[in-house]
Amino acid sequence: MPAGTAELLAVPAIWRRRLLTALLLPVALVVVVLEDVVWAGALIVLRRLAELAAIRALATALRRLPGWAALPLFLVPEGVGRVGELWAVVLLVHGHTLSAALVYVLVRLLATLMAVFVYHACEPALLRIRWFAVLVGWARRVRDWAKARLQPLRARIRMAGRTAPGLVVRRFVATRRWIERRWLRLAAWSRR
């Protein structure tokens, strides 16, 4: 038995659960942010884009693909993301810090939109691949666990927003101004 294992086993179960929760909470926050912000925003943008005839035709063609053919399509957004990272590094090397950050964020958002589009267009075929369906099920369980853990915090934030909207808006504006000041200082420092 490795050193320390006996001591860990002697810790009461409630403390082990609390430790596990504390370790997983950051993951839960990331999952919820991805779900609530990135995924929801991506779906809104994709719904708007789905009104275009070319996008509808592409989605229809992707829906006809079998799972084994749809899976490599995830390499396209990943390739776009890597090209964007390279572009951002080149900009950074040339001293364009703000431009590099902007390029990185925009290309990553574009790659995320592309990945969401591919997933939604090919979802039925992809879920017929056993290991992919297992991974998706696992990700959904993690999402549900994270939402359940963070529900009280989310409810308090919503309640605070309804009961004191002026306070929330003032706090948001103050935080945004603080970030802008920091960003401007960073940009000025990077130009030196």
Side-chain angles (χ1 to χ4, degrees):
M1 193 177 285
T5 306
E7 290 83 14
L8 182 62
L9 293 175
V11 174
I14 192 164
W15 286 106
R16 276 185 274 162
R17 276 196 310 274
R18 286 180 181 168
L19 177 63
L20 183 61
T21 298
L23 292 173
L24 290 177
L25 195 58
V27 175
L29 288 169
V30 169
V31 167
V32 170
V33 167
L34 285 174
E35 173 87 10
D36 287 354
V37 178
V38 177
W39 191 261
L43 290 177
I44 290 169
V45 171
L46 288 175
R47 279 190 208 110
R48 300 286 173 149
L49 289 174
E51 297 169 2
L52 301 173
I55 301 296
R56 275 196 313 265
L58 179 60
T60 301
L62 291 176
R63 276 188 198 94
R64 293 186 190 129
L65 292 175
W68 62 267
L71 202 53
L73 291 176
F74 284 106
L75 293 175
V76 175
E78 186 60 28
V80 168
R82 295 295 177 213
V83 169
E85 288 173 1
L86 183 62
W87 184 15
V89 167
V90 168
L91 287 169
L92 195 58
V93 166
H94 289 293
H96 303 286
T97 309
L98 190 58
S99 297
L102 185 63
V103 164
Y104 180 80
V105 168
L106 290 177
V107 169
R108 274 290 151 200
L109 285 173
L110 176 65
T112 301
L113 279 175
M114 291 171 68
V116 171
F117 175 77
V118 167
Y119 178 78
H120 276 283
C122 303
E123 186 176 19
L126 288 169
L127 291 178
R128 284 193 289 272
I129 300 172
R130 175 92 175 116
W131 65 267
F132 193 88
V134 168
L135 285 176
V136 168
W138 179 80
R140 288 179 179 161
R141 283 191 298 279
V142 168
R143 178 201 61 200
D144 294 343
W145 176 85
K147 280 188 167 184
R149 282 298 207 193
L150 295 172
Q151 187 56 37
L153 176 63
R154 293 169 76 195
R156 279 185 281 190
I157 290 171
R158 273 191 230 107
M159 179 65 85
R162 281 194 296 268
T163 58
L167 174 68
V168 173
V169 170
R170 284 193 309 273
R171 187 72 238 140
F172 176 78
V173 169
T175 304
R176 190 180 59 135
R177 285 185 184 148
W178 179 82
I179 291 170
E180 286 173 352
R181 284 193 309 271
R182 290 281 188 176
W183 187 259
L184 289 174
R185 269 192 242 143
L186 179 65
W189 177 80
S190 67
R191 283 188 226 126
R192 292 182 194 167

